[in-house]
Amino acid sequence: MNTERRDYFVDVILPLALPQTYTYRLPQSMNGAVFQGQRVVVQFGKSKMYSAIVKLVHETAPKYTAKYIEAILDAEPVVVEKQLEFWDWLSRYYMCTQGEVMITALPAGLRLTSESKIGMSVSFDGNKDHLNEEELNLVEAIEVRGVLTMEEVSTVLDRKTVYPVIRKLIAADVISVHEEIKERYRPKYESVIALNDKYMSEDEMRAVFDKLEKRAFKQLETLMAFIHLSGKAQEMRRADLLADRNADASALASLVKKGILDSYDREVSRIKSDAVATKEAVLSTHQTSALEKIKEGFADKSTVLLHGVTSSGKTEVYTHLIREQLENGKQVLFLLPEIALTTQLIGRLQEHFGAAVLIYHSRFNEQERVEVYNEVLKKKPCVVIGARSSLFLPYSNLGLIIIDEEHDPSFKQQDPAPRYNARESALWLAKIHKANTLLGSATPSVESYYNAKHGLYGYATMTERFGGAVLPKIFVADVKEATKRKMMKSVFTPYLLERIDQVLADGEQVILFQNRRGFAPCIECQTCGHVPHCVRCDVSLTYHKAANQLRCHICGFTSAPPTACDACGTTDLKLKGFGTEKIEEELGLLLPAARIARMDLDTTRGKFSLQNIIADFESGKTNVLVGTQMVTKGLDFGNVGLVGILSADQILNFPDFRSYERAFQLMAQVSGRAGRREKQGEVIIQSFNPQHFIIQCVVNNDYETMYHNELADRMQFSYPPLFRLIRITVKGKDALLVDNGSFHLASQLRTHMGSRILGPEYPVVARMRDEYIKNILIKTEREASVVKIKDTIQTVLNDFKVHPDFKKLRLVIDVDPN
């Protein structure tokens, strides 16, 4: 049978939240040209066009009439088989659709979108008598330009709402609308100048020189500059040539016109690195011991936890493991929780591996991300440094995944779906590639430490700081006592302020940590106690002094600060609490000679702002760094003599079962920024409760006590790592409907799962972005069949979604919530 005449179908993944793949017919002209992982253009719905990923090519017709594929976008697949396997697992485990995974996984530049185009109808007879002035203007504009986008229609009509006019003209068969697919990725080009082949011989070139010397001396100078600068390559960038003082743009244009020089555009990489490997890590005795222990662990287990104190030199150990993988032709993924950490790490790894280092995170524009994606697709050995999104690159021969600061909650994606945990997902990605995973942290998550203690992971420790450095001295300043004695200076205890002054006088640097940005968390009326709240969320508005506005940190709503109380009208208003902005200002007043920088979400929005803040602190241009948890995560500064934690109670007293663990991790991590070289650093923790057992664990660097206390509590109250959690959030604009819907859903779940269901309950913030929220928590035993439980949950959710009373409600499923 001739395969050319066979009818083929393809199952595609669309970038939509569809519960399953969709099947299209393959035109026979495309037989043999479509493969798994390619992008194809398909029509979905009445008119929308999408780029979809081919998941399967087969000969089984669907039960519905399949539409034809419109076009093939790629000569080769852009998604590899192991990626699709990973997407399958993510959609099953995190209870989301493959389309949602695709949207997260592919760089925006590879996801095509369709745009509505307005053109003349083929059946329009040309009669415009029945058109009003507005319709006539639009029709004449279309006749002149051929087609218009919706944005251009809006400009022509000078109005925002254009659909009534378009709808009327479509009904009259005057115009038609079609969808045009748009490629978002555009390669980067640079203009290049080259010597024409005709003038490669010395005789021809001598003749040109003689001719130009007599008639066009400026052209001769430009040509001589080109020959001198281009060397043997006889080719160079146009911009480099014109940067030379002997080259002239008009003379260059004349040389090109005469055919002596050629000018053309050449595609160049946005990520091309000229970094050259110049260094090889030399390990200390205890680093070598840890490396051997890791390798022993990998001989038996695919995952190893490296528990190393801050500044123990874990990066050097990682470097040795990476080198082995690259020498074996493998790819390596180096996952970090924050973009801030990539800034310092990139330079250090480029010293070891040069241009083999690739960087991938959300601060890159979509064009740069596509180029990194395509570079990984080439299957060459490389080490990718990135945040959680770098999990989705098209690895083909992954040998090792390193997850640094593995305890960090930033590895969990909150919104949108898939709400995946990069640490757990990386373990599965490694399993698909038969690769190893190394988890590194000075303060491991309770879950990872539990797995290591129970033999599921290998375990290695690094208990000494690199170079003989010692752990910092940690002191606790009693804020309650200082307040009672009226000794507080703004937000600083006398001891902290005194030590900051002394450390700066000694030429050292200071880091101050406060996990709240803005100037003050709220403004309170001193007469009636009223606090301005967001109009869309149930949270108080934070005051930002630099912008002189109140701002909601959930939805972004802003308003001007009130001059009088909205409730009682009095003008006795007071700022309550403090954030990083206030600390920066107050310290500037108390220590005017200090050079202060702030590192939080407000100051690091720009592409290079974070790098600049870190570079200025490293070089000593600033000597005090005030920041949120960004400053706690693995940054390595050599001259920090003091770290101040300004409000330990704030992170301890948070209504979450992980609050003590997170508080210990944050304080221990930020403490680790102090010292780090030959001199012992100092840490001062300000607290109203200095004897709190978590603070004492930090003071004594006692991870074990914290772990055993946490494990006992979680065993008693059925929390991870002994139980698994799934949270279902019911959202809607009608509070009563949310109440009724969440109660009905919880009741249905209880009929199948009994006491495993908790709630529904309002969370701490019960309304966000004009939507009321209620949570239902499902606790399942670690040994229970996760697949069976999720199937049961999905069945109940499907019934709920089609219930006529609750169709306006939105459900959010979060597996393993943070």
Side-chain angles (χ1 to χ4, degrees):
M1 183 177 177
N2 186 355
T3 56
E4 291 297 314
R5 305 304 303 167
R6 286 184 179 178
D7 287 330
Y8 285 97
F9 298 87
V10 292
D11 295 342
V12 301
I13 303 171
L14 286 154
L16 302 167
L18 299 171
Q20 60 193 46
T21 56
Y22 209 75
T23 303
Y24 286 82
R25 184 184 290 272
L26 198 63
Q28 290 191 341
S29 60
M30 294 182 185
N31 282 5
V34 174
F35 303 97
Q36 183 188 60
Q38 283 177 311
R39 291 177 305 161
V40 292
V41 178
V42 297
Q43 182 184 340
F44 188 76
K46 290 185 178 179
S47 60
K48 282 287 182 183
M49 307 287 277
Y50 294 95
S51 63
I53 295 292
V54 175
K55 187 175 183 185
L56 187 65
V57 182
H58 57 88
E59 295 182 61
T60 306
K63 294 178 181 178
Y64 49 86
T65 304
K67 296 175 184 175
Y68 282 96
I69 281 177
E70 300 287 333
I72 305 170
L73 290 171
D74 310 297
E76 299 292 332
V78 297
V79 175
V80 299
E81 185 180 356
K82 287 178 179 177
Q83 269 179 293
L84 290 173
E85 190 179 340
F86 184 48
W87 292 10
D88 271 344
W89 177 82
L90 279 164
S91 65
R92 288 194 312 273
Y93 187 82
Y94 290 104
M95 300 182 71
C96 62
T97 68
Q98 291 185 47
E100 289 169 321
V101 176
M102 174 187 169
I103 292 167
T104 298
L106 285 185
L110 290 179
R111 299 195 309 266
L112 306 193
T113 58
S114 64
E115 183 180 72
S116 296
K117 296 280 187 177
I118 314 299
M120 299 304 299
S121 171
V122 291
S123 54
F124 178 50
D125 59 10
N127 180 16
K128 303 174 188 174
D129 295 341
H130 60 290
L131 303 180
N132 62 33
E133 185 178 350
E134 196 173 41
E135 293 164 353
L136 187 61
N137 287 341
L138 178 56
V139 169
E140 287 177 348
I142 295 171
E143 285 178 332
V144 170
R145 300 189 209 175
V147 291
L148 296 177
T149 65
M150 287 294 188
E151 191 176 346
E152 289 168 337
V153 170
S154 183
T155 303
V156 169
L157 298 180
D158 194 24
R159 59 187 279 185
K160 288 184 178 179
T161 310
V162 298
Y163 287 101
V165 180
I166 290 171
R167 201 180 296 118
K168 188 176 175 185
L169 290 172
I170 291 171
D173 208 15
V174 176
I175 65 171
S176 63
V177 180
H178 68 278
E179 295 293 316
E180 183 176 278
I181 202 83
K182 291 197 305 177
E183 175 75 78
R184 296 170 69 167
Y185 171 66
R186 293 285 182 273
K188 183 181 179 182
Y189 293 94
E190 63 182 11
S191 184
V192 175
I193 303 298
L195 186 64
N196 190 294
D197 292 344
K198 182 180 174 183
Y199 299 98
M200 287 294 185
S201 72
E202 285 189 25
D203 292 342
E204 290 287 348
M205 186 54 72
R206 194 176 295 113
V208 168
F209 285 163
D210 291 343
K211 196 173 183 180
L212 293 178
E213 190 174 19
K214 295 174 184 175
R215 299 184 181 179
F217 188 70
K218 198 65 186 173
Q219 291 177 35
L220 177 62
E221 278 192 323
T222 301
L223 181 58
M224 291 291 288
F226 168 80
I227 291 169
H228 172 69
L229 294 169
S230 64
K232 292 181 180 179
Q234 300 291 286
E235 178 187 85
M236 67 182 298
R237 293 171 66 239
R238 185 177 188 274
D240 292 341
L241 175 58
L242 292 178
D244 188 90
R245 60 187 179 84
N246 293 318
D248 178 79
S250 59
L252 176 60
S254 298
L255 290 168
V256 171
K257 191 174 182 181
K258 290 175 181 177
I260 298 169
L261 295 178
D262 294 330
S263 177
Y264 54 89
D265 288 338
R266 175 177 63 191
E267 186 177 340
V268 292
S269 170
R270 293 177 174 87
I271 61 162
K272 189 175 181 181
S273 171
D274 55 3
V276 178
T278 59
K279 196 173 178 182
E280 186 161 347
V282 178
L283 301 186
S284 66
T285 306
H286 81 280
Q287 286 174 325
T288 303
S289 174
L291 180 63
E292 289 171 357
K293 191 73 176 172
I294 290 166
K295 289 181 179 179
E296 285 174 21
F298 283 149
D300 186 40
K301 305 277 194 310
S302 60
T303 304
V304 172
L305 173 64
L306 175 59
H307 187 178
V309 297
T310 52
S311 195
S312 56
K314 292 188 287 293
T315 304
E316 282 68 30
V317 175
Y318 298 155
T319 300
H320 270 257
L321 292 165
I322 291 168
R323 186 176 300 282
E324 288 178 8
Q325 295 296 326
L326 295 180
E327 287 173 354
N328 290 329
K330 295 283 190 177
Q331 297 170 321
V332 177
L333 170 59
F334 198 130
L335 272 178
L336 293 160
E338 290 277 357
I339 295 166
L341 295 181
T342 64
T343 304
Q344 281 196 322
L345 187 66
I346 289 161
R348 292 169 71 178
L349 289 188
Q350 282 177 337
E351 288 179 344
H352 293 282
F353 309 114
V357 176
L358 299 174
I359 305 103
Y360 190 82
H361 54 63
S362 58
R363 288 284 168 90
F364 278 15
N365 64 44
E366 66 181 53
Q367 311 288 353
E368 291 169 322
R369 296 181 89 184
V370 170
E371 294 201 358
V372 176
Y373 188 96
N374 289 336
E375 197 67 23
V376 176
L377 197 57
K378 292 175 183 175
K379 303 182 180 181
K380 294 190 297 188
C382 61
V383 51
V384 176
I385 307 172
R388 59 178 183 258
S389 58
S390 53
L391 275 174
F392 297 105
L393 291 171
Y395 304 104
S396 53
N397 56 347
L398 199 58
L400 176 67
I401 299 177
I402 297 169
I403 308 175
D404 199 22
E405 310 296 343
E406 65 83 27
H407 65 275
D408 199 288
S410 300
F411 279 125
K412 172 72 174 177
Q413 161 117 337
Q414 303 297 338
D415 272 313
R419 294 170 182 83
Y420 66 99
N421 186 307
R423 181 188 65 211
E424 306 306 319
S425 301
L427 296 177
W428 193 266
L429 181 65
K431 184 178 179 181
I432 290 170
H433 285 268
K434 295 181 173 58
N436 290 325
T437 307
L438 180 62
L439 309 173
S441 177
T443 55
S445 64
V446 169
E447 286 89 339
S448 294
Y449 196 66
Y450 177 89
N451 288 335
K453 283 286 187 181
H454 287 75
L456 297 174
Y457 298 166
Y459 184 64
T461 59
M462 296 176 71
T463 56
E464 297 176 26
R465 281 190 153 193
F466 184 71
V470 292
L471 289 166
K473 296 175 289 185
I474 302 178
F475 302 94
V476 186
D478 191 335
V479 179
K480 185 195 287 185
E481 187 66 23
T483 304
K484 194 193 312 182
R485 296 188 179 189
K486 301 191 184 322
M487 297 172 68
M488 291 291 291
K489 290 189 178 179
S490 181
V491 300
F492 303 97
T493 55
Y495 182 62
L496 176 59
L497 201 58
E498 178 191 320
R499 291 303 301 142
I500 292 172
D501 198 13
Q502 185 59 56
V503 166
L504 294 180
D506 291 342
E508 295 178 319
Q509 294 171 298
V510 176
I511 291 177
L512 297 176
F513 167 61
Q514 166 65 359
N515 205 24
R516 191 185 289 272
R517 62 189 173 98
F519 192 86
C522 65
I523 295 177
E524 183 180 87
C525 174
Q526 297 303 287
T527 304
C528 71
H530 173 73
V531 173
H533 274 63
C534 176
V535 297
R536 302 177 62 202
C537 312
D538 285 345
V539 292
S540 59
L541 292 170
T542 301
Y543 177 58
H544 288 253
K545 190 171 184 180
N548 191 33
Q549 63 179 202
L550 294 175
R551 190 179 299 164
C552 174
H553 286 177
I554 291 176
C555 72
F557 169 80
T558 60
S559 70
T563 54
C565 175
D566 293 334
C568 70
T570 61
T571 56
D572 190 10
L573 305 177
K574 189 175 181 181
L575 295 170
K576 289 285 188 178
F578 61 95
T580 50
E581 194 179 12
K582 183 174 182 178
I583 296 164
E584 181 185 29
E585 180 182 284
E586 295 288 324
L587 195 62
L589 295 172
L590 294 167
L591 299 172
R595 301 183 302 277
I596 306 165
R598 176 160 51 94
M599 190 161 83
D600 56 26
L601 189 62
D602 298 320
T603 62
T604 57
R605 293 183 190 276
K607 184 172 182 178
F608 299 110
S609 54
L610 182 60
Q611 288 174 246
N612 294 337
I613 291 168
I614 291 172
D616 286 349
F617 194 67
E618 278 185 310
S619 64
K621 286 183 182 177
T622 55
N623 52 15
V624 180
L625 184 62
V626 179
T628 55
Q629 59 184 344
M630 285 183 179
V631 302
T632 72
K633 299 178 180 181
L635 294 171
D636 185 6
F637 301 117
N639 193 35
V640 176
L642 174 68
V643 167
I645 299 170
L646 294 171
S647 182
D649 310 291
Q650 193 180 87
I651 47 179
L652 280 166
N653 301 323
F654 194 77
D656 178 62
F657 77 92
R658 287 192 177 94
S659 62
Y660 282 3
E661 177 193 0
R662 296 265 166 83
F664 176 88
Q665 288 165 343
L666 276 172
M667 288 190 276
Q669 288 285 337
V670 76
S671 299
R673 306 312 117 208
R676 303 184 73 81
R677 290 293 184 269
E678 67 282 346
K679 187 175 178 183
Q680 186 178 23
E682 184 179 345
V683 179
I684 299 172
I685 300 172
Q686 293 191 162
S687 172
F688 281 89
N689 184 11
Q691 297 307 313
H692 194 290
F693 96 89
I694 286 291
I695 292 177
Q696 291 305 309
C697 286
V698 175
V699 170
N700 299 317
N701 192 33
D702 189 356
Y703 177 87
E704 285 287 334
T705 298
M706 184 281 297
Y707 167 76
H708 287 296
N709 272 279
E710 280 295 288
L711 200 61
D713 284 348
R714 296 185 191 188
M715 190 176 293
Q716 183 179 356
F717 296 106
S718 305
Y719 280 110
L722 303 149
F723 281 70
R724 300 178 189 275
L725 303 181
I726 299 174
R727 185 174 62 211
I728 300 173
T729 302
V730 182
K731 294 185 175 185
K733 295 187 180 295
D734 184 330
L736 183 60
L737 187 61
V738 169
D739 271 344
N740 294 337
S742 58
F743 181 79
H744 174 84
L745 180 57
S747 299
Q748 293 302 306
L749 287 166
R750 276 195 187 91
T751 61
H752 294 87
M753 304 174 71
S755 61
R756 290 186 175 121
I757 309 301
L758 298 180
E761 293 289 341
Y762 284 114
V764 176
V765 180
R767 183 173 62 104
M768 290 184 181
R769 299 178 179 87
D770 282 330
E771 284 190 312
Y772 294 91
I773 302 165
K774 270 204 160 176
N775 288 334
I776 299 166
L777 193 64
I778 303 168
K779 293 183 177 181
T780 66
E781 302 82 357
R782 193 178 176 90
E783 310 77 34
S785 169
V786 178
V787 174
K788 191 175 179 181
I789 287 168
K790 288 178 181 174
D791 286 345
T792 302
I793 294 170
Q794 195 62 61
T795 301
V796 174
L797 294 182
N798 291 342
D799 291 341
F800 180 83
K801 287 173 184 175
V802 298
H803 194 291
D805 296 338
F806 305 128
K807 284 188 175 179
K808 290 184 179 179
L809 296 177
R810 192 159 62 90
L811 299 178
V812 173
I813 306 164
D814 193 356
V815 178
D816 303 334
N818 248 6

